[in-house]
Amino acid sequence: MVACDWGRRVRYRPFVASMGRLALGREATRTQPDWVSKSAPNSGHDGSAGGRVVRLPVPQLKLAGRHGQCAAKSLSTNRREDQLPVRRGVRSQCSRAVLAVSAGSFLLASALLFSTCGDPMPDPADWTTYHHDNSRAGLAPGLAPLGTLAKAWEARLDGAVYGQPLVVGDRVFAATENDTVYALDAAGGRILWSTNVGTPMPRSQLPCGNINPLGITSTMVYDPATSLLFALAETTGGRHTLVSLDAATGQVRQRRPAEPPLGNRIAHQQRGALSLVAGRIYIPYGALDTDCDIYIGSVVALPTTGPAGPISYHVPTTRKGGGIWSPGGGALVGDRLMYATGNGESTTTYDGGDSVLALDRDLKLVDRFTPTTWAEDTSSDADLGSMTPVLVGGYVYANGKRGVGYTLKPHHLGGLGGQVDQTYVCPTFGAPAVSGNTAYVPCIDGPRAVTIDPKGRITVGWQAVVSGGGSPVLGGGAVWVIDTALGILSALDPATGVVRQRIPVGTTNRFASPTLAHGHAYVGTMTGVVAVSGA
């Protein structure tokens, strides 16, 4: 039987079983409607078969034969708010379905249609990870052209939201420094569920730092294969725990230790966005503000489900340094995760700091780039670790606190001093947005446009008149950036950098970056989430 699980999509690839199987040449992908109850009988959350209604909006299609059982059950529509399902975002893990089709004027009596269940994929209009997807390009596909910006709603939560809000269908997910995860109604900001996953660390119990309390700082990630939401929570005692929650109900499914492999765990801060790649969650670690105590930059990975323990990579410093802390976390380039590391400990012997690292999915180091100025960068805190490297026009673009931009070959980063090109751009913090061969770079004094030509040469273009250093994103024909000094969201002309519209959103953290999805911009603030219509 078809697995008619609520909130999952069934993807149909039709073909006509006559005259040599004439292909119809298109797919019909439809979302199951919101009147299907999550509490329907004989239906498992894991995609097992059950009595759920599938209503196909295409009138010619109907479930045939025994597969019509999916449409034969009578379901209750009485639901609590915490039973509201996630309506979009994943394809069904399902079995083959046979459907009948009426051909109308085409004189085709019937056709066989088969549902195929490939790798689960998010709806492209959703925003399921930092900067939309693992490339960290920050591009919202299919967003409508820029309209008139207006504040749609504001949700006041129990703490500051440092990570980007996620959007899956009609829900917005946000996590606070009070270690609470929220699901909000995207239309009005109403809290659908909230789950507190622990007690955050008060600043008074940390050796240094500037976030009080310290709870969930990084951007979460949503897994369409399991309908699970993943957050990394810091709790009392300096513990770091990967928590997975059912996105429909907020119920905690699993808690697993995800400690950095070396150093004093209480000296580590987990700011970099989580990544989901091939069934694993990747978690980067850096230091608390002012780099106190013994910390060692590292990446830890755990499977999305199951009892398997963590794998990890750490920079080869002997005492401390090399923090992987940029808010964007790692960018996936081909089959490699690219991370930038902060300053190391030594200024005489290279120890892994001030570099772009390429790690494979098993967290083995396969390549790296280090500027020839690494020793000076280390001594002056001018390293590459402040910006996530991204792919721009076929080259990896890296930049950091020194302000020098580098282009690197993605499959041969260049080792020591092996860049393709370099030029001064600006000191950067966060992650750029990317469209083709242009990066919109998060400079501390406002974003700049940087283009990369086919030979990897860098050209610096416009600079926007925006004082804050938030990380830009792209959508609807505009570059969106938050002036983090003034708490203002601006939509810029991507060709000139001229401000087209601006709107106040409230106080944000210095690395804030907006989320673009389904005609809205969503901003995490120091008091919750603000939604802006007109995006």
Side-chain angles (χ1 to χ4, degrees), residues 322-336:
I324 302 174
W325 67 270
S326 171
L332 188 65
V333 178
D335 58 355
R336 299 174 169 187

Side-chain angles (χ1 to χ4, degrees), residues 75 78 104 107 120 125 144 153 198 233 257 267 284 313 322 342 353 388 391 397 406 408 418 432 461 498 527:
L75 302 179
N78 295 324
L107 303 178
W153 52 260
Y313 168 84
T388 297
L391 191 67
Y397 177 74
Y406 300 91
L408 318 171
V498 171
T527 57

Side-chain angles (χ1 to χ4, degrees), residues 36-249:
V36 181
S37 170
K38 181 180 181 294
S39 58
N42 302 320
S43 55
H45 182 76
D46 60 357
S48 58
R52 299 193 182 274
V53 173
V54 177
R55 176 182 291 166
L56 294 173
V58 182
Q60 294 93 333
L61 300 182
K62 64 178 181 178
L63 287 173
R66 64 188 180 89
H67 302 282
Q69 295 174 38
C70 282
K73 302 259 185 172
S74 173
L75 302 179
S76 168
T77 58
N78 295 324
R79 300 171 296 180
R80 299 189 310 271
E81 281 187 11
D82 63 359
Q83 291 178 315
L84 288 170
V86 178
R87 289 209 276 264
R88 289 187 286 188
V90 296
R91 296 176 183 151
S92 175
Q93 297 178 2
C94 51
S95 59
R96 182 178 296 177
V98 180
L99 295 89
V101 118
S102 172
S105 61
F106 290 100
L107 303 178
L108 295 175
S110 62
L112 294 177
L113 291 85
F114 292 87
S115 70
T116 60
C117 305
D119 292 336
M121 295 176 64
D123 182 336
D126 290 341
W127 194 282
T128 62
T129 186
Y130 185 89
H131 271 202
H132 184 269
D133 56 61
N134 283 333
S135 73
R136 304 309 195 212
L139 178 62
L143 197 72
L146 177 66
T148 301
L149 299 185
K151 186 174 179 180
W153 52 260
E154 179 176 2
R156 300 188 73 86
L157 309 181
D158 71 353
V161 176
Y162 271 63
Q164 271 190 327
L166 304 182
V167 180
V168 180
D170 55 5
R171 291 192 173 190
V172 177
F173 298 104
T176 72
E177 292 293 349
N178 200 46
D179 278 334
T180 303
V181 180
Y182 288 86
L184 309 174
D185 173 28
R190 180 170 51 98
I191 296 174
L192 302 176
W193 56 254
S194 65
T195 303
N196 183 263
V197 298
T199 303
M201 278 289 288
R203 170 63 185 86
S204 60
Q205 296 180 20
L206 293 167
C208 60
N210 59 355
I211 300 176
N212 185 31
L214 183 60
I216 300 173
T217 305
S218 63
T219 298
M220 301 182 291
V221 66
Y222 170 77
D223 179 16
T226 60
S227 296
L228 294 177
L229 191 64
F230 293 87
L232 195 287
E234 178 152 346
T235 57
T236 50
R239 296 177 179 85
H240 301 91
T241 304
L242 181 65
V243 182
S244 57
L245 303 97
D246 186 314
T249 66

